[in-house]
Amino acid sequence: MIGASRLIRPRRIGAAASRTPLAAIGTASSAAARAHARPYSYQSRPDTSEKETIVKLLYNIGSKKEVEQYLRHFSSVESQKFAVIKVGGAVISDDLATLASALTFLNRVGLYPIVVHGAGPQLNQRLEAAGIEARYEDGIRITDGPTLAIAREVFASENRKLVEALERLGTRARPITGGVFVADYLNREKYDRVGRIVHVNREVVESSIRAGCLPILTSLAETPEGQILNVNADIAAGELARVLEPLKIVYLNEKNGLYHGTTGKRIETIHLDEEYDELLKEPWVRYGTKLKLKEIKELLDTLPRSSSVAIISAEHLHKELFTHSGAGTLIMRGHRLFSEQDLASVDSDRLRALLMEQDPSIASGESTAASYWQKLAALKRAGGQYWIYGDEPYQVAAIVTRTPGQGISVLDKFVASKAAVLGNITDNAWKLIVRDHPQLVWSVPRTDDNLSWHFDRADGSWGAGDNIVFWYGVEDWKKISSMVSAMHGAARASTPPSPAPSAPSAPAPAGSRGYSTMARRVAPRAAGSTGRRSYSTQRPPRPALRVGLIGARGYTGRELIKLIDGHPQFELAYVSSRELAGKPVPNYTKAQISHVNLSAQQVGELTREGRQAVDVWIMALPNNVAAPFVAEINNAAAQLSPDQQPVVVDLSADYRFDTTGQWAYGLPELHRASLRNSTTGRISNPGCYATGSQLGIAPLLPYLDSTRLPSVFGVSGYSGAGTKPSPKNDPGFLQDNLIPYAPVNHIHEREIGHSLTRLCKPEYPFGAQNPLKVQFSPHVAPFFQGIALTLHVPLRMSMSVKDMVEVYREFYQGERLVHVVESAPLVRDNSEKHYAVVGGFAVPPHGEDSGSAQLAERRAVLNVTLDNLL
């Protein structure tokens, strides 16, 4: 049986709860702000009552036990050794209030993070306004005299913004724009005034902390002679960390971590000693990602093993620091793990010491390590097997057994020290165990403080007396019943464990970092039998969502029917088509249904019945036809409770330009936040040409030339012209032909500009006051489905093909439905695929150095393909 109270107690919470501390900090800090209005003066530690209030707020994001554990951990070192936080310029410009709240929150519990910030986007904006081209070599900004002069102004301004934001919250902060980093020229001929840090004056930072102020540093450095040099903020933060040796190095970014290039999931943890070599072999680890991992490894290799790097957003910083579950990507050295099948192959004395300290039965004297060794030896003599897992310093250990003839392994012991818990080494050990044992069972007392850790890793559970039996990877209910009986006796498990729809099953307490670079396989759920069970973490299958499809005659309607037929969580309730009414619905195998001809009034009447009639209405209608249907749905839904109101998805262009906030634009790769935050259940699907064009232009928005317009040359298969007969969908007319149409003011031309403008940030050359426009030239080709786009995007700086590829790979990292390739994508390769492909990157060759020729060189050329019906 797994010992009680010796592992970790992870906890996962919803987004609303995770935001509670930062949302409350403004209120909690208002009195403090008035009490500490003097700038840059000495401030004592937060008073006891205020700190207790803030600590209680932390309990909203994690258990009291884990919060207090991390507070003790962070408070156990000198103040300057808590954390170095690198803040990108975009975080200051886009998320200043959240950043200031997060830093204030840490200070209120007595912690002093050291902040090093950049200002890249702001500097680029100022350089463009001054008519100075931003130039890069090997990814390093070439910093000449005029650039450095503007950089000093920008860094001072952004530094002042952050300091003032902290002061408004009552947090003492000291602006430090120089005097910390001493540097030599990196390569004066190549990069001009760019520095290589050779010394860090830690006294400047430490004096700020002694005065009770958060140190807010820019990354500018000086030579011993006083010449100011520009230094990348990531490098400056790393050099500072090497000197201070903090527990945490934090890189704040907008994506909230690193994402796996194949699965698209956020990587929760990376243990470098165990995973680094294999990670670098992954095909998606290239360019910027590989460089970042190498830099982090080089940094951590020079720091104590207790140090770690976190990549996280400002909003979730507190959750990353104070909970086992975390929120971003945690990177640490860790230790190499071992797996042995003989006690003689491990250090039995160190293993005994760990068990005596952490295993309840051995620590209490109920049993001894020697008697347990005898039990393992007897198992082996009887033809059974055992495996011992652990790490090099013996901070974690697990013992797995298997009796003769038994195919399912038993996790007999799993213990860990406090250091292993804080370092998430338990998660790495678990991954190694389930890699070797695809089927696993174990038992835990109901009183165990760490039940949530087990629930989070198990595929199912069964309450048996005073214990809970957990299993992983087991799908056969007879086997589950047998192993429960074997572990706790037939009297405790007389009924086979199976999900019973009439008995609500408890949700699994979630929490610990459940995903790392070795993805956990999710075992398929077996079909339930008729038996009831006292307690289980497996839920009955959720009923399929009922879909009402209005407009089934067109090509898109036909494809939707195929998609719904193959999707386990959707089913067709109604398929409406005036021309096909009464005819069977083809390509649908879940049930025998026929087309109907629903009027707008009838759609409203069905909506009034709530979700028992229809969960989702899909409007697959031509432009300017959906409004009466939507109006009836809205009127009917207004009389329903929110949980009974249907979702409406409109495939036409009718609501793509909505400014009321009622409709969310359904392109999640670019507008995911607005989709998640929408509460109306109204989604406007983007156009096909518009989708591909936006995916092609969006990564370059920060680099656009405000004086020139992007140009899109589009070619579509004739299915894009609809089913109504015309020359544009007549294969005979199209043979050996390419037909241009709507050369100006195409609706997708307006949609592209409108939607991309919504993405623009204040520092971008386009925005609400200066909307982006594009030039779009559509054509119809003889093939049936698919779209090919060639885009010419004017830039305000020169870019290499390598730069472009890195920009696009980073922008679409983690997006499973956008593939970035280097070669030009082909329509035929993308046909009947749900993803878009971006590639064929090119830039004009360098020629003349001025005038229109230079402008022509500053542009990016690329291709996008997608299937217009999917």
Side-chain angles (χ1 to χ4, degrees):
M1 182 182 297
I2 303 298
S5 305
R6 300 297 179 184
L7 284 174
I8 61 177
R9 189 180 183 184
R11 185 182 182 197
R12 184 176 295 128
I13 60 170
S18 71
R19 287 194 296 269
T20 300
L22 291 188
I25 196 68
T27 302
S29 303
S30 58
R34 293 189 294 271
H36 301 284
R38 297 185 303 275
Y40 320 133
S41 62
Y42 175 79
Q43 178 191 13
S44 61
R45 298 272 178 155
D47 63 71
T48 304
S49 60
E50 182 184 33
K51 180 175 179 179
E52 288 177 352
T53 300
I54 302 299
V55 170
K56 288 178 181 178
L57 286 174
L58 277 173
Y59 298 160
N60 289 310
I61 63 167
S63 70
K64 179 179 180 180
K65 177 181 176 181
E66 62 184 322
V67 168
E68 292 180 347
Q69 184 179 42
Y70 280 104
L71 275 175
R72 287 194 300 270
H73 180 54
F74 294 145
S75 301
S76 66
V77 297
E78 299 171 80
S79 295
Q80 73 272 18
K81 289 181 175 289
F82 161 50
V84 171
I85 299 180
K86 185 267 174 177
V87 177
V91 177
I92 296 178
S93 63
D94 299 345
D95 216 6
L96 178 61
T98 302
L99 172 63
S101 294
L103 296 174
T104 293
F105 191 89
L106 296 176
N107 189 235
R108 288 292 181 273
V109 294
L111 301 174
Y112 285 82
I114 300 164
V115 176
V116 181
H117 71 81
Q122 297 92 324
L123 178 55
N124 285 339
Q125 188 176 13
R126 284 284 304 277
L127 289 174
E128 183 180 7
I132 300 174
E133 180 184 356
R135 295 178 296 141
Y136 297 85
E137 185 73 34
D138 303 326
I140 297 173
R141 183 190 297 274
I142 298 174
T143 309
D144 56 15
T147 300
L148 183 60
I150 294 176
R152 292 181 64 186
E153 295 177 6
V154 170
F155 272 112
S157 173
E158 298 306 304
N159 187 277
R160 186 168 56 252
K161 285 180 185 177
L162 178 53
V163 169
E164 290 174 352
L166 290 166
E167 292 279 339
R168 285 194 294 272
L169 292 176
T171 300
R172 306 264 46 84
R174 177 173 292 179
I176 303 176
T177 57
V180 176
F181 302 112
V182 180
D184 286 337
Y185 287 92
L186 179 61
N187 185 328
R188 190 167 187 176
E189 293 183 0
K190 191 173 185 180
Y191 308 116
D192 207 346
R193 294 170 176 83
V194 175
R196 175 180 59 84
I197 295 174
V198 296
H199 176 70
V200 176
N201 184 4
R202 60 187 295 169
E203 174 58 27
V204 177
V205 176
E206 292 171 347
S207 67
S208 173
I209 294 175
R210 286 197 299 270
C213 299
L214 297 188
I216 310 299
L217 286 68
T218 70
S219 59
L220 293 177
E222 302 106 43
T223 67
E225 294 77 25
Q227 171 62 53
I228 294 178
L229 299 177
N230 187 22
V231 176
N232 178 274
D234 282 0
I235 294 174
E239 291 300 324
L240 184 63
R242 285 185 171 89
V243 172
L244 297 178
E245 297 186 342
L247 293 173
K248 287 280 187 180
I249 303 98
V250 179
Y251 294 93
L252 295 184
N253 76 357
E254 297 172 328
K255 290 193 172 183
N256 199 41
L258 295 178
Y259 287 79
H260 196 286
T262 301
T263 66
K265 295 182 179 179
R266 178 167 48 84
I267 300 173
E268 305 283 359
T269 56
I270 299 175
H271 294 81
L272 293 173
D273 282 7
E274 184 70 21
E275 301 177 59
Y276 179 74
D277 292 338
E278 291 301 317
L279 186 57
L280 288 192
K281 296 176 184 177
E282 291 279 351
W284 57 270
V285 179
R286 294 188 288 178
Y287 310 116
T289 301
K290 179 176 287 188
L291 179 62
K292 174 68 73 176
L293 288 173
K294 286 184 175 180
E295 289 176 347
I296 290 173
K297 185 178 188 305
E298 290 174 0
L299 172 61
L300 289 178
D301 282 347
T302 65
L303 297 177
R305 198 171 286 273
S306 56
S307 296
S308 62
V309 167
I311 302 175
I312 189 70
S313 67
E315 179 184 5
H316 296 102
L317 177 61
H318 55 293
K319 188 180 181 191
E320 174 64 33
L321 294 176
F322 292 103
T323 68
H324 296 316
S325 59
T329 298
L330 179 67
I331 306 175
M332 65 199 76
R333 289 174 64 191
H335 290 280
R336 291 195 177 276
L337 301 176
F338 65 79
S339 171
E340 300 292 348
Q341 290 187 262
D342 194 323
L343 189 61
S345 301
V346 304
D347 189 330
S348 58
D349 290 336
R350 298 176 73 183
L351 179 59
R352 176 186 287 106
L354 179 63
L355 290 173
M356 290 180 66
E357 180 180 353
Q358 302 295 341
D359 184 78
S361 62
I362 295 178
S364 65
E366 180 182 339
S367 63
T368 65
S371 63
Y372 189 68
W373 301 161
Q374 291 178 343
K375 173 185 172 183
L376 295 178
L379 172 66
K380 199 167 187 177
R381 287 194 300 272
Q385 295 175 280
Y386 65 84
W387 292 260
I388 302 174
Y389 297 89
D391 64 338
E392 292 172 341
Y394 284 81
Q395 297 177 115
V396 63
I399 299 173
V400 178
T401 63
R402 189 185 298 162
T403 56
Q406 179 68 43
I408 300 175
S409 303
V410 176
L411 179 59
D412 200 44
K413 290 188 182 295
F414 196 173
V415 295
S417 69
K418 177 182 176 182
V421 170
L422 293 172
N424 288 91
I425 301 173
T426 47
D427 289 341
N428 231 26
W430 172 259
K431 289 184 295 184
L432 186 59
I433 292 168
V434 296
R435 184 196 69 182
D436 295 344
H437 304 276
Q439 293 186 317
L440 198 65
V441 62
W442 66 102
S443 177
V444 180
R446 289 182 182 271
T447 56
D448 193 322
D449 288 340
N450 305 299
L451 282 177
S452 57
W453 191 93
H454 302 280
F455 279 118
D456 193 48
R457 283 151 184 77
D459 286 337
S461 64
W462 169 269
D466 295 333
N467 300 309
I468 297 176
V469 179
F470 294 93
W471 61 86
Y472 172 91
V474 185
E475 304 169 27
D476 189 322
W477 293 107
K478 292 182 179 179
K479 288 184 178 180
I480 292 172
S481 178
S482 175
M483 66 190 185
V484 171
S485 298
M487 296 188 76
H488 289 281
R492 293 185 176 182
S494 57
T495 306
S498 59
S502 58
S505 56
S512 175
R513 298 180 179 273
Y515 182 79
S516 184
T517 50
M518 302 182 211
R520 173 190 171 201
R521 173 191 57 79
V522 179
R525 305 295 187 185
S529 57
T530 57
R532 294 175 60 86
R533 68 187 194 175
S534 58
Y535 181 75
S536 172
T537 58
Q538 289 185 336
R539 298 177 179 271
R542 187 175 66 182
L545 296 174
R546 293 171 58 77
V547 176
L549 175 58
I550 309 299
R553 181 174 177 270
Y555 294 124
T556 304
R558 297 177 195 177
E559 292 296 333
L560 274 170
I561 292 171
K562 295 178 185 178
L563 289 174
I564 293 169
D565 186 58
H567 200 294
Q569 295 180 2
F570 291 92
E571 66 182 16
L572 285 172
Y574 300 95
V575 181
S576 178
S577 171
R578 185 180 59 206
E579 294 88 349
L580 302 176
K583 296 181 180 179
V585 174
N587 302 315
Y588 188 70
T589 61
K590 292 183 177 180
Q592 292 183 352
I593 61 175
S594 296
H595 292 88
V596 294
N597 181 20
L598 295 176
S599 65
Q601 182 180 359
Q602 289 171 321
V603 168
E605 291 171 356
L606 287 169
T607 301
R608 288 185 181 87
E609 297 179 22
R611 291 205 164 188
Q612 63 179 352
V614 174
D615 295 281
V616 182
W617 287 105
I618 298 180
M619 304 290 140
L621 298 167
N623 294 341
N624 304 314
V625 177
F629 293 91
V630 173
E632 288 288 344
I633 293 172
N634 289 342
N635 291 336
Q639 304 171 29
L640 301 173
S641 60
D643 64 315
Q644 289 297 308
Q645 294 177 2
V647 172
V648 180
V649 180
D650 179 48
L651 305 187
S652 76
D654 291 4
Y655 300 99
R656 294 174 191 164
F657 301 89
D658 175 71
T659 57
T660 67
Q662 294 297 306
W663 290 82
Y665 190 65
L667 186 55
E669 290 78 10
L670 303 182
H671 297 273
R672 183 168 281 113
S674 62
L675 280 165
R676 284 177 172 170
N677 295 332
S678 175
T679 59
T680 63
R682 302 294 181 264
I683 300 171
S684 177
N685 200 64
C688 48
Y689 275 131
T691 295
S693 300
Q694 291 178 76
L695 293 177
I697 296 173
L700 296 177
L701 283 176
Y703 314 106
L704 294 184
D705 183 343
S706 61
T707 66
R708 296 177 291 155
L709 302 182
S711 174
V712 181
F713 183 92
V715 179
S716 170
Y718 61 84
S719 60
T723 56
K724 184 178 180 180
S726 77
K728 290 185 294 184
N729 57 19
D730 181 353
F733 186 81
L734 286 166
Q735 185 176 357
D736 303 324
N737 215 346
L738 184 69
I739 304 176
Y741 69 100
V744 294
N745 204 35
H746 190 289
I747 193 167
H748 287 177
E749 181 177 81
R750 304 197 303 274
E751 180 184 347
I752 296 164
H754 174 81
S755 298
L756 286 177
T757 298
R758 292 172 54 199
L759 292 177
C760 289
K761 299 179 180 178
E763 68 270 18
Y764 290 2
F766 295 96
Q769 303 304 318
N770 180 30
L772 173 64
K773 297 181 180 179
V774 301
Q775 301 171 118
F776 176 54
S777 305
H779 301 74
V780 180
F783 53 84
F784 177 67
Q785 67 188 102
I787 282 179
L789 302 169
T790 298
L791 297 89
H792 290 252
V793 185
L795 306 175
R796 54 184 171 80
M797 66 184 73
S798 298
M799 265 192 184
S800 67
V801 170
K802 181 181 178 182
D803 292 334
M804 287 179 63
V805 173
E806 290 183 359
V807 165
Y808 278 78
R809 288 192 187 280
E810 181 177 357
F811 190 90
Y812 289 119
Q813 187 176 21
E815 297 293 352
R816 298 178 62 184
L817 296 183
V818 181
H819 295 188
V820 179
V821 300
E822 295 187 27
S823 59
L826 301 177
V827 171
R828 66 185 181 191
D829 296 335
N830 219 159
S831 180
E832 299 184 357
K833 305 294 195 305
H834 290 273
Y835 53 79
V837 183
V838 184
F841 302 101
V843 295
H846 290 290
E848 299 179 36
D849 295 329
S850 62
S852 60
Q854 186 185 50
L855 280 178
E857 290 172 9
R858 294 194 338 230
R859 62 188 168 98
V861 183
L862 63 143
N863 305 112
V864 180
T865 61
L866 72 160
D867 190 313
N868 59 300
L869 298 182
L870 297 177

